[in-house]
Amino acid sequence: MKPLEGKAAVVAGATRGAGRAISMMLGAAGATVYVTGRSVRGGPSDIGRAETIEETAELVTEQGGRGIAVRVDHTEESQVKALFDKVKQDREGGLDILVNDVWGGEKLSEWGTPFWEGSLDKALLMQRRAVHSHMITSYYGAPLLVAKGKGLVVEVTDGYDYRYRGNLPYSLAKVSAIHMAEALAAELRPHGVAAVSVTPGFLRSEEMLDHFGVTEENWRDAAKQDPHFLQSETPYFLGRGVAALAADPDLLGKSGKAFTSWGLSDEYGISDMDGSRPHWGRYAAEQGF
């Protein structure tokens, strides 16, 4: 019996990166996973990458779960409402897990530029995509969890605390996800539903591999450009952690907390796909980050 057999999840922002990996690992644990995003075959989003939600759904099914692709722009309320209406119609057992991983800020961050000298339009659009979308999704998704009297909301972010992250709009977006989980936990606890935030370490995503001009097969070559990349992790490291967390019988005891991929690895004995156990937290402390 797989630990999430019979469970249903929605992963918002599942086209690539952490969202895709979380979807796959939930599927490997037996879940039915609705994978959403804007990029579909023949219709990429403005991010302009090749990955699609159909591919993610197929990968979920290959892992042993059931992947269902639904095109959704999570900044559009009507599309989000339609998504959860579909889940209610499809699933007599309701919803068990909601993962908010929508980002869409790849081309909006202006590193090294003071907030007041950058683009206000980009800064506000980042909040619309990475904060407002999570609120809209939780607004329509939370009632399904409350109706069931149990479940989990996961906010995927960058970092586990409230420190500045090198750029005001980016920092605001990522810190907001942490507090959203904390606030959701407070309001959902009386209904038996948990909420947490999670972060990877140095994420070796598809886009990051492309940035360094390497592949998963020769990724260590990127250390010539950035030696810290040797401490990176695949998105599946966090994905396995989220799947283990979702199967934990003491979810409410963990509600409201911020979890890291390396912390989940320590707690649940999780390894990355190559058998390694990267620990960005320990490495960052040693480096004085």
Side-chain angles (χ1 to χ4, degrees), residues 51-208:
E51 301 89 1
T52 67
I53 56 172
E54 291 95 340
E55 290 173 358
T56 300
E58 290 164 0
L59 290 166
V60 170
T61 302
E62 287 175 11
Q63 288 291 323
R66 182 186 176 208
I68 302 171
V70 185
R71 188 193 183 283
V72 181
D73 181 339
H74 284 264
T75 66
E76 296 294 333
E77 183 181 351
S78 61
Q79 293 185 31
V80 176
K81 182 179 183 300
L83 165 67
F84 289 103
D85 284 345
K86 174 178 173 57
V87 174
K88 282 190 286 187
Q89 291 169 5
D90 289 354
R91 300 283 307 182
E92 290 184 6
L95 183 66
D96 301 279
I97 303 160
L98 170 60
V99 179
N100 279 315
D101 185 49
V102 175
W103 167 227
E106 292 89 337
K107 297 181 179 180
L108 302 177
S109 301
E110 297 182 298
W111 301 105
T113 301
F115 165 65
W116 58 92
E117 293 180 3
S119 166
L120 183 58
D121 286 342
K122 287 183 177 180
L124 294 176
L125 180 56
M126 183 183 292
Q127 309 317 304
R128 178 67 179 164
R129 288 182 174 178
V131 181
H132 295 185
S133 70
H134 291 217
M135 290 185 67
I136 294 168
T137 304
S138 294
Y139 182 86
Y140 285 101
L144 277 68
L145 299 169
V146 169
K148 195 161 189 177
K150 59 182 178 180
L152 173 66
V153 180
V154 178
E155 287 286 330
V156 182
T157 187
D158 174 16
Y160 56 88
D161 55 21
Y162 292 90
R163 79 182 71 181
Y164 173 63
R165 288 158 170 73
N167 174 269
L168 189 155
Y170 181 90
S171 191
L172 180 60
K174 297 304 184 180
V175 169
S176 292
I178 297 174
H179 187 67
M180 196 174 303
E182 188 176 345
L184 278 168
E187 299 196 3
L188 289 171
R189 181 178 292 277
H191 304 282
V193 179
V196 301
S197 63
V198 299
T199 182
F202 196 154
L203 189 67
R204 201 159 68 245
S205 64
E206 302 94 336
E207 188 168 14
M208 189 60 68

Side-chain angles (χ1 to χ4, degrees), residues 2-15:
K2 295 183 177 181
L4 299 179
E5 192 80 46
K7 304 289 187 181
V10 168
V11 180
T15 313

